[in-house]
Each structure stands twice: as C-alpha cells, then as structure tokens.
Amino acid sequence: MIIALDGPAGSGKSTIAKRVASQLGFTYLDTGAMYRAVAWLALHRGINLDDGTALGRIAADEPIDFDNPSQEAQDTELTGVSISGQDVTTQIRTPQVDAVVSKVSAHAEVRRALVDAQRRIGAGRDVVMEGRDIATVVFPAAEVKIFLTASPEVRAARRFVQNATKDDATNAQGSGAAGDTSQGNSEKASFMQGNFGQDSFAKGDDQTRHQQMLEQINRRDKLDSERDLSPLRAATDSVIIDTSEMTIEQVCQKIVALVCRWQCEHQCEGASRPILPAVKQHDDEGDSHKAGISLQMPPSIEDARR
Ligand code: DC
C-alpha cells in the first residue's frame, strides 16, 4: 500500500510522514533526500548544474542508500542517506544544497532516474512516500493521497524555529550543557511554535531572518510549482490538509484515520472497525509509544476530499 504525501517546503511533510510510517509500521521514503543527494554530489564533483545529461548520469548510476544510517542519523532522527557509498545525512541539508536543489531537480534526466528508483523501492511494499510529485507522477494509483499545505508565513516560521532550536542544541552541546539535541524535538518545537506565525517573533534580527526565510520559501515554491516537469501541485483526488492551525498529532491522526477508512472500504467489506495492526501513537510529552490506540472512524476519503 502506498501513502503519497506531497506538499511544499515547511508544510510539515517530513515530520508527519515519519510519524505516520512509524505508527503504521510502514517504510518511510524521503524522495527530497534523493534529489538533495544528487545535488550534493554534483556540487562535490563540480558538475555544471545546467548539464542535465551529466546530472542524470549521477542520478541513474550512483547508488542512493537509506538502509545504513550513520550513528549521527540514528542519534538525531535525521533520515540517514548515503550516495556513492558516502554518508551525506547532514551535508544534504546545508544552505549550499538548499540553494541549488530546485535547479537540479528540474532536469528531466534526473527526474526520470529518480522516479524509476522510487517506483522500484515502493513496489510491493507498504510505504509512506513524501515528495512533490508522488500522487501525480510517481504513484498516481497510490491508495491514499495527501497534499499537506500551510500558509507561507507559518512555513517560514517553522523553518526559522527549527533552525534556531538546532543552533541552541548545538551550542548547548558544545558548552557541555545537557541540551536537547534531537532533531525530532526540534521538529516538534518548530511545528508547534510555527503555528503562531509571525507574531511569535522577537523584533530586530529575528524578524529580518524570518523575512529572509519567507522569501526563500516563496522562491522555492515558485521554482517547484512553475517548472515544466512534474510541478508541485495537488492531484485532483488528493485530500488537502492545511496544517497551519493543527498539531502534529492531529495531522497524523487524520491521515491514519484515512488509511483505516481506505482499508475498511477496500479490504473488509462490512467491517465495523479498522483492520490495521495496533497503531502506535507518539506520546506528546516524549517519544514513547502507546500501542493499540483506538481510532474514530473518519469520513470516507470521498467526503474528506470535499
Ligand atoms: O522536500 P525537500 O525540501 O527535501 O526537497 C528538496 C527539493 O527536491 C525541492 O526543491 C523539490 C525537489 N523535489 C522534487 O522535485 N520532487 C520530489 N518528489 C521531492 C523533492
């Protein structure tokens, strides 16, 4: 079963996709990390970013591996990724890669190779796959299709708080204090605080940095949604969820409920309760799991789309 989770930067995709995959016991695939890994290797090798053929060769020939996360990836909840045998978990999430990845991902040769790889990974598996074109191109027949969105201001605020939390954690670690270094907590903090939008910002430097973040988000949205190939957009049959005013857990519950509904509608005619295995739920106070949380039956997927 494929759960396609698309949406723009800062919509909460990664946090939500990881959480839903963990709750359902599905494989999680971050397709953005694949485009980032290709962009990183291209920069590393000094390849001309206008050369689609050379970039496509990297995407097709250099193995991208999610199966052997580095210690750092395991310690932080970052999605561990390597390309051509080199761990690039943190390198792919730098401003240098941010600045070029949209350009790299716009080349047809790159997209063709990575879409093929994504289809191979997803075939026959239960996967939560996050990206920009999963429901429209990679798996147009995905069983559950979600498009996450949030206002640009909230998305910029989330990224801002996420970076600030990461910086604080790094500083605390550097000074020997018992800081919170987990990316998971950083994501949770940013998701929540980001929901308060611009009002939650201090004056001065922070406002300027938030403004820069907003501009960067708007620029990437424009590049991703206006490119000729597989532009960022919701599939006509995706369920659109605006996460601006929602908590992580509310969004996860809504998606898990849609999955349960789909399974009941398609696999157990007449069943009165979800047939998924016991769903693990994150405890908001920590990362412990509770098994067997019962779910309210959601509206049907058709209703949810309306
Ligand atoms: O989700 P992200 O920010 O890590 O994605 C990085 C870039 O890759 C982003 O500019 C859009 C692109 N991307 C894409 O074109 N198609 C995907 N399925 C995933 C990401």
Side-chain angles (χ1 to χ4, degrees), residues 13 31-33 35-36 101-102 105 111 130-134 220 224 227:
K13 269 188 328 269
T31 60
Y35 289 95
R36 286 173 177 275
V101 65
S102 288
S105 64
R111 302 205 71 81
E130 65 144 303
R132 303 289 194 286
D133 60 343
I134 309 304
R220 271 181 62 195
D224 291 341
R227 71 178 174 222

Side-chain angles (χ1 to χ4, degrees), residues 156-263:
R158 284 178 186 159
R159 280 287 149 100
F160 176 92
V161 177
Q162 193 173 354
N163 290 348
T165 311
K166 234 181 336 193
D167 290 348
D168 284 353
T170 309
N171 291 340
Q173 200 180 29
S175 67
D180 167 17
T181 58
S182 110
Q183 170 80 0
N185 285 335
S186 144
E187 280 174 346
K188 187 160 71 185
S190 60
F191 199 95
M192 299 308 296
Q193 291 173 41
N195 291 352
F196 295 119
Q198 285 170 305
D199 295 345
S200 63
F201 285 98
K203 300 277 176 262
D205 279 357
D206 280 359
Q207 255 181 355
T208 311
R209 279 192 285 152
H210 174 246
Q211 190 55 36
Q212 287 167 346
M213 192 69 73
L214 184 58
E215 283 162 16
Q216 193 190 80
I217 287 223
N218 284 332
R219 202 165 41 242
R220 271 181 62 195
D221 282 359
K222 191 168 156 58
L223 281 171
D224 291 341
S225 56
E226 291 183 359
R227 71 178 174 222
D228 291 339
L229 289 166
S230 316
L232 168 69
R233 63 179 167 76
T236 48
D237 52 354
S238 284
V239 174
I240 297 175
I241 303 177
D242 185 336
T243 67
S244 303
E245 306 288 333
M246 295 172 80
T247 65
I248 295 174
E249 213 39 62
Q250 285 171 333
V251 183
C252 290
Q253 275 176 6
K254 183 161 179 157
I255 295 174
V256 170
L258 287 168
V259 174
C260 289
R261 168 60 72 176
W262 186 92
Q263 292 210 328

